[in-house]
Amino acid sequence: MFRMVDLIEKKKMGEALSNEEIQWMIEGYTKGEIPDYQMSAMCMAIYFQGMTMEETITLTMAMRDSGDVLDLSGISGVKVDKHSTGGVGDKTTMALGPIIASLGVPVAKMSGRGLGHTGGTIDKLECFPGFTTALSEETFKENVNNIQIAVAGQTANLAPADKKLYALRDTTACVNQKSLIASSIMSKKLASGSDAIVLDVKVGNGAFMENAKDAEELARIMVDIGKGAGKQTHALITNMEQPLGYAVGNSVEVLEAIHTLQGNGPEDFREVVFALGKHMLMLAGKASTEEEAIAMMEETIANGNALKKLHEFVAAQGGDASYVDDPSKLPLAEVVVEVEAPQDGYVSKLEARPIGHASMLLGGGRATKESDIDLAVGCILHKKIGDPVKKGESLCTVYARSNESAKAAVAEILGAYEFSDAFVEKPKMIYAELS
Ligand code: URA
């Protein structure tokens, strides 16, 4: 009916594609009738010419409808999902999911694996031996019903068009375009059936969006798509100039999430968890004010219910929950190296991207989708922006498998830091909110 070459030409010249053209293109690409080389030319044309809001919504819905759309209506309560656009040290789901579920709000979540300098929730959860996110639709629903939480990987038939397109964008330098990111994320969120969505749009050098204006535009597009599809949607723009929390890797991040559920997490991480959590609780109708929501979250941590929920969640998905009781069982690599401060002063910069890259060099991240990762390597930062340091003090502890990989990581980590003689304020974590 259409010819792909004509659609590429149209987009290349900056024209908007019609709803029929977009639907035809996504259907054809999912079925394998449109080859990757034509679709990658289209993505590059979109990268330079952009898409209108109408095109973006049509693309999202076409990708949502390219596979199964989960029906969670059999589960009582307002099902909430949260999604982060990705960053370094982002172990939010592991702490926030159990906190919210322990308060009786059903959390039905789809998560991904890490790629490049960013980590992924699924890899982190697999630090619990036996843990699986390959859940059938029945088990996913059953777990949400019985224990209020389930985290599944993107199954082959959930938004398959996005799965194919994201992999293509990833290898053709077409990831960081706002309409493409928004439609990719929202197609999966809408297909996974929750009633309400809280979005964590990261901004900074460790995120897809490097400045607040772009992050707000991306958040606006995603919120409008969500609301247009009848889902309550709220977005927070959060800081990713430096890694979130202190731990970057897999086991080390699980450890930090457990500490947070024990009430001993890093302040910046806790702030982001609580900021997202309060909106999840309000959207679910569990709390009517922010103060009430925060008090509920503090209580569920203090009385041990949130940690108990993590235990239950890990066991329900086949993982060894004894690691929750005794996190010292989590594997840590044997070569331990301290990164020493080269001077006195205050930390004025700690770029997230090179820290994520250091974790990748250690083997804790994926250079390509097919790479295997090492759960035991990573780093624990001791000094972040605003902290005073003395020359020779440890900035960061590196856990590596070899002296060579440790050396490469140390060089990356040192390159991420800058220092100032003058006092430096701690950065703000939440820049803006929109709904
Ligand atoms: N995460 C996604 O799922 N898709 C994108 O395009 C970017 C981040």
Side-chain angles (χ1 to χ4, degrees), residues 87-91 94 114 117-125 127 243-244 246-256 331-332 355-360 362-365 373-381 397 399:
V88 179
D90 187 1
K91 69 282 296 174
M94 267 184 303
H117 70 283
T118 64
T121 301
I122 296 182
D123 299 322
K124 293 168 200 175
L125 286 168
C127 290
L244 187 59
Y246 292 111
V248 179
N250 293 287
S251 276
V252 287
E253 291 196 34
V254 174
L255 199 59
E256 191 162 87
L332 284 182
I355 301 293
H357 196 231
S359 171
M360 201 169 84
L362 291 167
I373 60 164
D374 187 339
L375 300 172
V377 299
C379 57
I380 298 182
L381 302 161
T397 305
Y399 296 90

Coordinates of all heavy atoms in Angstrom, one line a residue, residues 87-91 94 114 117-125 127 243-244 246-256 331-332 355-360 362-365 373-381 397 399:
G87 N 20.3 5.3 34.3 CA 21.4 6.1 34.8 C 22.5 5.2 35.4 O 22.5 4.0 35.2
V88 N 23.3 5.8 36.3 CA 24.4 5.1 36.9 C 24.2 5.0 38.4 O 23.9 6.0 39.0 CB 25.8 5.8 36.6 CG1 26.9 5.1 37.3 CG2 26.0 6.0 35.1
G89 N 24.2 3.8 38.9 CA 23.9 3.6 40.3 C 22.5 3.6 40.7 O 22.1 3.8 41.8
D90 N 21.6 3.4 39.6 CA 20.2 3.5 39.8 C 19.6 2.2 40.3 O 19.2 1.4 39.4 CB 19.5 4.0 38.5 CG 18.1 4.3 38.7 OD1 17.6 4.2 39.8 OD2 17.4 4.7 37.7
K91 N 19.6 2.0 41.6 CA 19.0 0.7 42.1 C 17.6 1.0 42.7 O 17.2 0.3 43.6 CB 20.0 0.1 43.1 CG 20.2 0.8 44.4 CD 21.1 2.0 44.5 CE 22.6 1.8 44.1 NZ 23.3 3.1 44.1
M94 N 14.8 -1.8 43.3 CA 15.0 -2.8 44.3 C 14.6 -2.3 45.7 O 14.3 -3.1 46.6 CB 16.5 -3.2 44.3 CG 16.7 -4.4 43.5 SD 18.4 -4.9 43.6 CE 19.3 -3.4 43.1
G114 N 21.0 -3.9 31.8 CA 21.8 -2.8 31.6 C 22.4 -2.8 30.2 O 22.5 -3.9 29.5
H117 N 27.0 2.3 29.7 CA 27.4 2.7 31.0 C 26.3 2.6 32.0 O 26.5 2.9 33.2 CB 28.0 4.2 30.9 CG 26.9 5.2 30.6 ND1 26.4 5.4 29.4 CD2 26.3 6.0 31.4 CE1 25.5 6.3 29.4 NE2 25.4 6.7 30.7
T118 N 25.1 2.3 31.6 CA 24.0 2.3 32.5 C 23.7 0.8 33.0 O 23.8 -0.1 32.2 CB 22.7 2.8 31.9 OG1 22.3 2.0 30.8 CG2 22.8 4.2 31.4
G119 N 23.3 0.7 34.2 CA 23.0 -0.7 34.7 C 21.5 -1.0 34.5 O 20.7 -0.1 34.2
G120 N 21.1 -2.2 34.8 CA 19.7 -2.6 34.6 C 19.3 -3.4 35.8 O 20.0 -4.2 36.4
T121 N 18.0 -3.2 36.1 CA 17.4 -3.9 37.3 C 17.5 -5.4 37.3 O 17.8 -6.0 38.3 CB 15.9 -3.4 37.5 OG1 15.9 -2.0 37.6 CG2 15.3 -4.0 38.7
I122 N 17.3 -5.9 36.1 CA 17.2 -7.4 36.0 C 18.6 -8.0 36.4 O 18.7 -9.0 37.1 CB 16.8 -7.9 34.6 CG1 15.4 -7.4 34.3 CG2 16.9 -9.4 34.4 CD1 14.8 -7.9 33.0
D123 N 19.7 -7.4 35.9 CA 21.0 -7.9 36.2 C 21.2 -7.9 37.7 O 21.8 -8.8 38.3 CB 22.1 -7.0 35.5 CG 22.0 -7.1 34.0 OD1 21.6 -8.1 33.5 OD2 22.2 -6.0 33.4
K124 N 20.8 -6.8 38.3 CA 21.0 -6.6 39.7 C 20.2 -7.7 40.5 O 20.7 -8.3 41.5 CB 20.7 -5.2 40.2 CG 21.6 -4.2 39.6 CD 21.2 -2.7 39.7 CE 21.9 -1.9 38.7 NZ 21.5 -0.5 38.6
L125 N 19.0 -7.9 40.1 CA 18.2 -8.9 40.8 C 18.7 -10.3 40.7 O 18.5 -11.1 41.6 CB 16.7 -8.8 40.3 CG 15.9 -7.6 40.8 CD1 14.6 -7.4 40.0 CD2 15.6 -7.7 42.3
C127 N 21.6 -11.1 41.1 CA 22.6 -11.4 42.2 C 22.1 -12.4 43.2 O 22.8 -13.0 44.0 CB 23.0 -10.1 42.9 SG 23.9 -9.0 41.8
P243 N 26.7 9.7 40.0 CA 26.0 8.5 40.3 C 25.0 8.6 41.4 O 25.2 9.4 42.4 CB 27.0 7.5 40.6 CG 28.3 8.0 40.0 CD 28.2 9.5 40.1
L244 N 23.9 7.9 41.4 CA 22.9 7.9 42.5 C 23.4 6.9 43.6 O 23.7 5.8 43.4 CB 21.6 7.4 42.0 CG 20.4 7.5 42.9 CD1 20.1 8.9 43.3 CD2 19.1 7.0 42.2
Y246 N 26.1 5.5 46.5 CA 27.5 5.3 46.5 C 27.9 4.1 45.7 O 29.1 4.0 45.2 CB 28.0 5.1 47.9 CG 27.9 6.3 48.8 CD1 27.0 6.4 49.9 CD2 28.7 7.4 48.5 CE1 26.9 7.5 50.6 CE2 28.6 8.6 49.3 CZ 27.7 8.6 50.4 OH 27.6 9.8 51.1
A247 N 27.1 3.1 45.5 CA 27.5 1.9 44.9 C 27.1 1.9 43.4 O 26.0 2.3 43.0 CB 26.7 0.7 45.6
V248 N 28.1 1.4 42.6 CA 27.9 1.2 41.1 C 28.4 -0.2 40.7 O 29.6 -0.4 40.9 CB 28.6 2.3 40.3 CG1 28.4 2.1 38.8 CG2 28.1 3.7 40.8
G249 N 27.5 -1.0 40.3 CA 27.9 -2.4 39.9 C 26.6 -3.2 40.0 O 25.5 -2.7 39.8
N250 N 26.8 -4.4 40.4 CA 25.6 -5.3 40.6 C 25.4 -5.7 42.1 O 24.6 -5.1 42.8 CB 25.6 -6.4 39.6 CG 25.5 -5.9 38.2 OD1 24.4 -5.5 37.8 ND2 26.5 -5.9 37.4
S251 N 26.3 -6.6 42.6 CA 26.2 -7.0 44.0 C 26.2 -5.8 44.9 O 25.5 -5.7 45.9 CB 27.4 -7.9 44.4 OG 27.1 -9.2 44.0
V252 N 27.2 -4.8 44.6 CA 27.3 -3.7 45.5 C 26.1 -2.8 45.5 O 25.7 -2.3 46.6 CB 28.6 -2.8 45.1 CG1 29.9 -3.5 45.4 CG2 28.5 -2.4 43.6
E253 N 25.3 -2.8 44.4 CA 24.1 -2.0 44.4 C 23.0 -2.7 45.2 O 22.1 -2.1 45.8 CB 23.7 -1.7 43.0 CG 24.6 -0.7 42.3 CD 24.0 -0.1 41.0 OE1 22.8 0.1 41.0 OE2 24.8 0.2 40.1
V254 N 23.0 -4.1 45.1 CA 22.0 -4.8 45.8 C 22.2 -4.6 47.3 O 21.2 -4.3 48.1 CB 22.1 -6.3 45.5 CG1 21.1 -7.1 46.4 CG2 21.8 -6.6 44.1
L255 N 23.4 -4.6 47.7 CA 23.8 -4.4 49.1 C 23.3 -3.0 49.6 O 22.7 -2.8 50.6 CB 25.3 -4.4 49.2 CG 26.0 -4.6 50.5 CD1 25.5 -5.9 51.1 CD2 27.5 -4.7 50.3
E256 N 23.5 -2.0 48.7 CA 23.0 -0.6 49.1 C 21.5 -0.5 49.1 O 21.0 0.2 50.0 CB 23.6 0.4 48.0 CG 23.4 1.8 48.5 CD 24.3 2.8 47.7 OE1 23.9 3.2 46.6 OE2 25.4 3.0 48.2
P331 N 28.4 -11.8 46.2 CA 29.8 -12.0 45.8 C 30.5 -10.6 45.6 O 29.9 -9.7 44.9 CB 29.7 -12.8 44.5 CG 28.3 -12.5 44.0 CD 27.4 -12.3 45.2
L332 N 31.7 -10.5 46.1 CA 32.5 -9.3 45.8 C 33.8 -9.8 45.2 O 34.4 -10.7 45.8 CB 32.7 -8.4 47.0 CG 31.5 -7.6 47.5 CD1 31.9 -6.8 48.7 CD2 31.0 -6.7 46.4
I355 N 32.0 6.9 35.6 CA 31.9 5.9 36.7 C 31.2 4.6 36.1 O 31.6 3.5 36.4 CB 31.2 6.5 37.9 CG1 31.9 7.7 38.4 CG2 31.0 5.4 39.0 CD1 33.3 7.5 39.0
G356 N 30.2 4.9 35.4 CA 29.4 3.7 34.7 C 30.4 3.0 33.8 O 30.4 1.8 33.7
H357 N 31.2 3.8 33.1 CA 32.1 3.2 32.1 C 33.2 2.3 32.9 O 33.6 1.2 32.4 CB 32.8 4.3 31.3 CG 33.5 3.8 30.1 ND1 34.7 4.1 29.8 CD2 33.0 2.9 29.1 CE1 35.1 3.5 28.7 NE2 34.0 2.8 28.3
A358 N 33.6 2.8 34.1 CA 34.6 2.1 34.9 C 34.0 0.7 35.3 O 34.6 -0.3 35.2 CB 35.0 2.9 36.1
S359 N 32.7 0.7 35.7 CA 32.0 -0.5 36.0 C 32.0 -1.5 34.8 O 32.2 -2.7 35.0 CB 30.6 -0.2 36.5 OG 29.9 -1.3 36.7
M360 N 31.8 -0.9 33.6 CA 31.8 -1.7 32.4 C 33.2 -2.3 32.2 O 33.3 -3.5 31.8 CB 31.3 -0.9 31.3 CG 30.8 -1.7 30.1 SD 30.0 -0.6 28.9 CE 31.4 0.0 28.0
L362 N 35.3 -3.1 34.3 CA 35.6 -4.1 35.3 C 34.8 -5.4 34.9 O 35.1 -6.5 35.5 CB 35.1 -3.7 36.7 CG 35.9 -2.5 37.3 CD1 35.2 -1.9 38.5 CD2 37.3 -3.0 37.7
G363 N 33.9 -5.3 34.0 CA 33.1 -6.5 33.6 C 31.7 -6.4 34.1 O 30.9 -7.4 33.9
G364 N 31.3 -5.4 34.8 CA 30.0 -5.3 35.4 C 28.9 -4.7 34.5 O 27.8 -4.7 34.9
G365 N 29.3 -4.3 33.3 CA 28.3 -3.7 32.4 C 28.4 -4.4 31.1 O 29.4 -5.1 30.8
I373 N 27.9 -10.5 32.0 CA 28.4 -9.6 33.0 C 28.8 -10.3 34.3 O 28.3 -11.4 34.6 CB 27.4 -8.5 33.3 CG1 26.1 -9.0 33.8 CG2 27.2 -7.6 32.1 CD1 25.3 -7.9 34.5
D374 N 29.7 -9.7 35.0 CA 30.2 -10.2 36.2 C 29.5 -9.4 37.4 O 29.7 -8.2 37.5 CB 31.8 -9.9 36.2 CG 32.4 -10.6 37.4 OD1 31.7 -10.9 38.4 OD2 33.7 -10.8 37.3
L375 N 28.8 -10.2 38.2 CA 28.0 -9.5 39.2 C 28.8 -9.1 40.4 O 28.4 -8.3 41.2 CB 26.9 -10.5 39.7 CG 25.9 -11.0 38.6 CD1 25.0 -12.1 39.1 CD2 25.1 -9.8 38.1
A376 N 30.0 -9.6 40.5 CA 30.8 -9.4 41.7 C 31.7 -8.1 41.6 O 32.3 -7.7 42.6 CB 31.7 -10.6 42.0
V377 N 31.9 -7.5 40.4 CA 32.8 -6.4 40.3 C 32.0 -5.1 40.5 O 30.7 -5.1 40.4 CB 33.5 -6.4 38.9 CG1 34.3 -7.6 38.8 CG2 32.5 -6.3 37.8
G378 N 32.7 -4.0 40.7 CA 32.0 -2.7 40.8 C 32.8 -1.7 41.6 O 34.0 -2.0 41.9
C379 N 32.2 -0.7 42.0 CA 32.9 0.3 42.9 C 32.0 0.9 43.9 O 30.8 1.0 43.7 CB 33.7 1.3 42.1 SG 32.6 2.3 41.0
I380 N 32.6 1.3 45.1 CA 31.8 2.0 46.1 C 32.5 3.3 46.3 O 33.6 3.4 46.7 CB 31.7 1.2 47.4 CG1 31.0 -0.1 47.1 CG2 31.0 2.0 48.5 CD1 30.8 -1.0 48.4
L381 N 31.7 4.4 46.0 CA 32.3 5.7 46.1 C 32.3 6.1 47.6 O 31.3 5.7 48.3 CB 31.4 6.7 45.3 CG 31.3 6.4 43.8 CD1 30.0 7.2 43.3 CD2 32.5 6.9 43.1
T397 N 36.3 2.7 46.5 CA 36.9 1.3 46.5 C 36.5 0.6 45.3 O 35.3 0.5 45.0 CB 36.5 0.6 47.8 OG1 36.8 1.4 48.9 CG2 37.1 -0.8 47.9
Y399 N 36.3 -3.0 43.2 CA 36.3 -4.5 43.3 C 36.5 -5.0 41.9 O 35.6 -4.9 41.0 CB 35.0 -5.0 43.9 CG 34.8 -4.5 45.3 CD1 34.2 -3.3 45.6 CD2 35.4 -5.3 46.4 CE1 34.1 -2.9 47.0 CE2 35.2 -4.9 47.7 CZ 34.6 -3.7 48.0 OH 34.5 -3.2 49.3

